[in-house]
């Protein structure tokens, strides 16, 4: 089940702009456009407006859209999410915590 607790309530409107729908789904407009281009999926009927049902679908798909960008470890602008040194430091920290936990067990 998808947790929409941190997302704003969907206003009682019939139509939404793409930026407004993305804000309601918690994703970037650029992410939506890139995801639609790569997956060949298009919400709405090709116009720059989405229906309330499209906004609900977008909320349901938001995790898939976010996962799509996480797979390549790139953010919405195509930049690396974390560089190699940061990853190395993070892994070393995790290993130290595991070693500490095992030593105390």
């Amino acid at each position: 089940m998808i947790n929409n607790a941190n997302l704003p309530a969907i206003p009682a409107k019939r139509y939404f702009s793409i930026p407004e729908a993305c804000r309601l789904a918690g994703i970037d407009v650029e992410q939506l456009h890139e995801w639609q281009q790569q997956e060949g999926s298009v919400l709405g009927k090709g116009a720059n407006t989405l229906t309330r049902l499209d906004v609900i679908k977008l909320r349901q798909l938001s995790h898939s859209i976010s996962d799509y960008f996480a797979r390549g470890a790139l953010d919405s602008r195509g930049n690396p999410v974390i560089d190699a040194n940061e990853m190395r430091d993070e892994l070393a920290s995790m290993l130290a915590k595991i070693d500490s936990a095992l030593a105390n067990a």
Side-chain angles (χ1 to χ4, degrees):
M1 180 171 206
I2 296 172
N3 183 3
N4 289 328
N6 296 329
L7 296 175
I10 300 173
K13 293 172 47 174
R14 181 174 269 183
Y15 298 106
F16 300 86
S17 67
I18 290 176
E20 185 179 19
C22 287
R23 183 185 57 77
L24 292 169
I27 60 171
D28 291 334
V29 174
E30 295 81 15
Q31 285 180 323
L32 174 62
H33 289 305
E34 178 72 21
W35 180 81
Q36 287 187 130
Q37 191 174 40
Q38 294 295 323
E39 296 296 317
S41 300
V42 178
L43 293 173
K45 296 189 164 92
N48 288 332
T49 58
L50 300 175
T51 64
R52 185 176 180 80
L53 182 58
D54 290 327
V55 174
I56 293 169
K57 287 179 188 176
L58 191 56
R59 279 187 167 195
Q60 292 171 340
L61 290 170
S62 65
H63 295 289
S64 298
I65 293 169
S66 297
D67 290 347
Y68 172 82
F69 286 93
R71 265 193 314 224
L74 300 176
D75 64 12
S76 63
R77 294 183 186 97
N79 299 320
V81 175
I82 187 170
D83 68 20
N85 290 330
E86 289 174 307
M87 178 63 81
R88 190 175 298 113
D89 293 343
E90 200 61 37
L91 289 172
S93 172
M94 290 170 67
L95 280 173
K97 288 177 184 176
I98 291 170
D99 285 342
S100 175
L102 291 174
N104 294 330

